[in-house]
Amino acid sequence: MRTRHAYLIMAHHEFGLLETLLQLLDDPRNDIYLHVDRRARGFDPARLYALLTSSNLYLAERMPVSWGGDSQIRCELRLLDMAAARGSYAYYHLLSGVDLPIKTQDEIHAFFLASDDRIYLGCNFHPAQALLEQRLAQYHPLQNLIGRGETRARAYLSLLDQLFCRLQRALGVNRMARSGLSYVFGDNWFSIPQAFAEYVLQQLPLIRKCFYRTKNADELFLQTLAYNSPFREAIVPSCYRLIDWERGAPYTFRMDDLALLLDSDRLFARKFSQTTDSAVIEAIFRHLCKKPPRAVSAEDLVPVREDAPAQPADGAPESGD
């Protein structure tokens, strides 16, 4: 029976918070696979290796990742492929660098041990057709450059994207019409078992054909693959993350939300920020670990090249089995 879990983490800032997240995942039953956006500044992998005592930590080759672009999908697949190549896991969990678990590792492992290989994905099985067409029907080759934010360059690229889509519609381009897929929408965060992870990696030609050069398809591709596969009946339409879309996009949790977080039946929560409220982050850590987060001193640091091969934490097992 597989018992180990792989945590796949996509980060681009808030590296102090990332250190807290990794300490909460640091467990001999877990391996951690981390991607840090290539454009990020101030990332020091030596600090992370110094913090971990039980989990293996593997650094993925860095690439630029843009909001809404297919670089999001490519990065998720890079992490998933990296983890699957090293071993066989009970579950693969995708988190961002500003997420935290809100249950202990014992509770999380017990939950998935009893899950009977179900697939945990936020799913809307009947998304609006207009939303699907906006994101998938035409090619969006500029979305990785557009990203998110208001700049003159992005506004110009966004206008070019709109004009190009208008031209494609005039020419009758509709990628969805020839896909043969029923589309499902939801959060891009997931917890999936080994068999489905292998299936996803076998579908790379389909993913490239239908979901590359699209817009915000990271919230569609995995749900759609699962729904159109033999794994459909295994879908649980929740990623078991506590995410508040009513107070923000999403809302950043604060100390006032501590009771809500600790009383939730979810396993993870997003998002957090040390700038917005560091107290709630430490409170969650103390609740789960019964001690404050560990600080890294200069004596702990061993230089690590960011392009160096992935390294396990000292004393941790190297196999994913």
Side-chain angles (χ1 to χ4, degrees):
M1 177 185 294
R2 302 183 187 97
T3 59
R4 297 181 62 75
H5 288 206
Y7 281 94
L8 319 177
I9 302 174
M10 296 170 58
H12 66 277
H13 70 333
E14 293 267 5
F15 296 124
L17 174 55
L18 178 65
E19 292 178 12
T20 301
L21 169 60
L22 263 60
Q23 288 184 73
L24 288 170
L25 301 179
D26 190 18
D27 185 285
R29 297 166 292 185
N30 298 336
D31 289 337
I32 300 169
Y33 296 84
L34 173 65
H35 178 270
V36 175
D37 193 298
R38 192 168 71 194
R39 297 166 297 191
R41 297 290 180 263
F43 172 61
D44 183 359
R47 294 182 61 86
L48 303 183
Y49 286 116
L51 284 170
L52 296 179
T53 61
S54 300
S55 291
N56 295 316
L57 172 62
Y58 304 103
L59 302 180
E61 182 180 354
R62 294 173 66 176
M63 59 180 281
V65 180
S66 297
W67 178 88
D70 63 16
S71 55
Q72 294 273 354
I73 298 174
R74 295 169 189 261
C75 185
E76 291 180 32
L77 293 173
R78 177 173 292 188
L79 286 166
L80 188 62
D81 181 65
M82 182 182 181
R86 295 199 66 88
S88 179
Y89 293 95
Y91 269 86
Y92 298 77
H93 310 282
L94 180 67
L95 301 175
S96 85
V98 293
D99 297 0
L100 291 176
I102 51 176
K103 295 288 186 284
T104 67
Q105 287 303 307
D106 284 343
E107 291 173 310
I108 292 171
H109 278 261
F111 176 91
F112 287 106
L113 184 62
S115 70
D116 196 26
D117 282 349
R118 295 193 178 277
I119 296 169
Y120 295 89
L121 285 169
C123 289
N124 175 353
F125 295 108
H126 305 288
Q129 186 66 20
L131 178 146
L132 297 176
E133 291 179 357
Q134 178 192 42
R135 297 186 180 201
L136 302 174
Q138 281 78 48
Y139 292 89
H140 295 268
L142 300 177
Q143 186 58 42
N144 285 319
L145 298 175
I146 296 170
R148 179 163 58 181
E150 296 183 4
T151 66
R152 181 173 297 180
R154 286 188 172 123
Y156 176 71
L157 291 170
S158 182
L159 178 60
L160 287 179
D161 177 71
Q162 295 172 38
L163 293 174
F164 184 51
C165 287
R166 188 177 301 174
L167 174 62
Q168 291 177 75
R169 287 192 291 271
L171 295 174
V173 175
N174 187 341
R175 300 171 70 184
M176 295 172 58
R178 51 193 170 87
S179 73
L181 298 172
S182 298
Y183 291 94
V184 179
F185 169 78
D187 298 314
N188 58 328
W189 317 108
F190 61 74
S191 293
I192 62 175
Q194 177 70 30
F196 183 61
E198 293 174 356
Y199 176 83
V200 170
L201 294 172
Q202 292 166 2
Q203 304 305 309
L204 292 181
L206 178 64
I207 295 171
R208 294 188 186 104
K209 176 183 176 183
C210 297
F211 299 105
Y212 279 18
R213 296 178 300 283
T214 55
K215 186 174 183 178
N216 296 103
D218 56 310
E219 297 176 335
L220 286 153
F221 89 100
L222 207 65
Q223 286 86 348
T224 300
L225 285 180
Y227 188 77
N228 292 272
S229 77
F231 296 90
R232 179 187 295 191
E233 297 303 317
I235 297 173
V236 175
S238 171
C239 61
Y240 270 75
R241 276 72 169 162
L242 182 62
I243 307 174
D244 186 343
W245 290 102
E246 295 184 0
R247 293 184 285 173
Y251 171 74
T252 300
F253 289 110
R254 294 160 170 80
M255 193 64 184
D256 289 345
D257 304 302
L258 184 61
L260 170 70
L261 290 158
L262 300 184
D263 292 342
S264 172
D265 64 352
R266 307 293 91 170
L267 304 176
F268 308 95
R270 74 180 310 269
K271 61 182 181 176
F272 298 89
S273 168
Q274 286 190 320
T275 302
T276 301
D277 194 327
S278 61
V280 68
I281 298 168
E282 181 166 346
I284 290 172
F285 191 98
R286 287 178 178 272
H287 174 79
L288 296 177
C289 298
K290 312 305 179 187
K291 60 182 180 181
R294 180 186 167 200
V296 178
S297 67
E299 291 75 19
D300 295 325
L301 299 180
V302 176
V304 177
R305 292 197 341 265
E306 292 193 28
D307 60 346
Q311 304 174 31
D314 290 343
E318 296 192 25
S319 171
D321 296 333

